[in-house]
């Protein structure tokens, strides 16, 4: 911009305009070198945040799954039925839901008893039986080879799991019960028989 040496006021105006132009150039240079806008940064970090959220959700699901299996299932203490000769060996008795021994069950619970055992003979068919305080219990599906986790014939000395489930009905009387339960083979001979305690509240 041309300056008029004979007009001091004009010189002052020109100087002010020149200063403003210099400031604008500095601002433009700073903006060119500055960090990207916050919105752009957040947009670029979205995939990272989504990955973190997915990881946390998976960790939470795994924790709940482990908690469920560790709290509500328990291997309970038991004894073999002393008066009966058995053609097998009981390995453990597991009750679900249960977190103490004896297990405490309430109306509405779907109690599942898993008995791990190995037979000393080949079993082509098997039948369930159960007593509560010496009273026989009705079993809707007594065929142990159908719907109870067993695939007959059972092989000699091969561990298998017998699974029996029963809903605890509202009309079941409360109290502590001695449960005797077991399995008979195709000849009516006892394969396994165990005694343990359950409490209904």
């Amino acid at each position: 911009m041309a300056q008029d040496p004979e007009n001091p006021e004009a010189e002052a105006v020109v100087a002010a305009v020149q200063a403003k132009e210099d400031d604008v150039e500095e601002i433009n240079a700073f903006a060119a070198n500055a960090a990207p806008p916050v919105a752009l940064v957040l947009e670029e970090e979205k995939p990272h945040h989504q990955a973190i959220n997915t990881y946390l959700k998976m960790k939470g699901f795994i924790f709940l799954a482990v908690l469920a299996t560790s709290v509500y299932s328990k291997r309970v203490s038991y004894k073999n039925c002393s008066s009966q000769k058995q053609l097998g060996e009981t390995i453990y008795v597991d009750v679900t839901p249960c977190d103490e021994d004896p297990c405490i069950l309430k109306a509405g619970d779907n109690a599942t008893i898993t008995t791990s055992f190995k037979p000393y003979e080949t079993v082509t068919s098997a039948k369930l039986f159960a007593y509560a305080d010496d009273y026989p219990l009705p079993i809707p599906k007594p065929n142990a080879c159908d719907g109870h986790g067993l695939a007959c014939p059972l092989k000699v000395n091969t561990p298998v799991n017998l699974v029996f489930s029963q809903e605890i009905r509202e009309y079941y009387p409360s109290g502590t019960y001695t449960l005797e339960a077991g399995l008979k083979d195709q000849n009516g001979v006892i394969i396994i028989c165990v005694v343990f305690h359950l409490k209904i509240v």
Side-chain angles (χ1 to χ4, degrees):
M1 179 179 295
Q3 299 184 11
D4 185 357
E6 295 182 356
N7 190 341
E9 293 182 356
E11 291 180 0
V13 171
V14 170
V17 171
Q18 185 65 47
K20 290 294 184 181
E21 291 177 352
D22 292 341
D23 290 343
V24 171
E25 291 179 358
E26 290 181 2
I27 292 172
N28 290 337
F30 175 79
N33 297 323
V38 174
L40 179 59
V41 173
L42 293 178
E43 188 67 28
E44 291 176 349
E45 289 185 352
K46 277 184 179 179
H48 178 65
H49 291 165
Q50 291 173 353
I52 292 176
N53 290 336
T54 300
Y55 172 76
L56 292 176
K57 289 178 181 179
M58 291 178 62
K59 291 285 286 185
F61 175 79
I62 293 172
F63 173 76
L64 291 176
V66 172
L67 182 65
T69 55
S70 62
V71 171
Y72 294 109
S73 179
K74 186 175 181 64
R75 293 185 181 183
V76 298
S77 57
Y78 67 91
K79 294 181 179 180
N80 289 321
C81 303
S82 58
S83 61
Q84 305 288 346
K85 181 181 179 181
Q86 301 180 27
L87 297 180
E89 177 186 347
T90 301
I91 302 171
Y92 65 78
V93 177
D94 181 280
V95 180
T96 304
C98 180
D99 57 7
E100 59 183 291
D101 192 1
C103 298
I104 298 177
L105 304 174
K106 61 181 183 298
D109 284 344
N110 187 34
T112 298
I113 301 173
T114 302
T115 305
S116 180
F117 72 97
K118 58 182 179 180
Y120 296 152
E121 62 171 355
T122 299
V123 178
T124 57
S125 65
K127 185 177 180 179
L128 291 164
F129 67 89
Y131 295 85
D133 292 343
D134 295 328
Y135 290 94
L137 297 177
I139 299 178
K141 296 181 179 180
N143 183 358
C145 298
D146 182 16
H148 295 289
L150 300 182
C152 297
L154 307 181
K155 298 180 180 179
V156 178
N157 290 325
T158 300
V160 291
N161 290 338
L162 171 67
V163 181
F164 177 77
S165 296
Q166 175 66 48
E167 181 182 354
I168 306 302
R169 307 289 186 178
E170 292 281 351
Y171 55 82
Y172 288 1
S174 59
T176 300
Y177 297 91
T178 299
L179 186 66
E180 178 180 324
L183 201 61
K184 293 182 179 180
D185 68 3
Q186 60 272 8
N187 299 314
V189 180
I190 292 178
I191 305 170
I192 57 168
C193 180
V194 295
V195 177
F196 59 99
H197 303 287
L198 292 175
K199 186 175 181 179
I200 297 177
V201 296

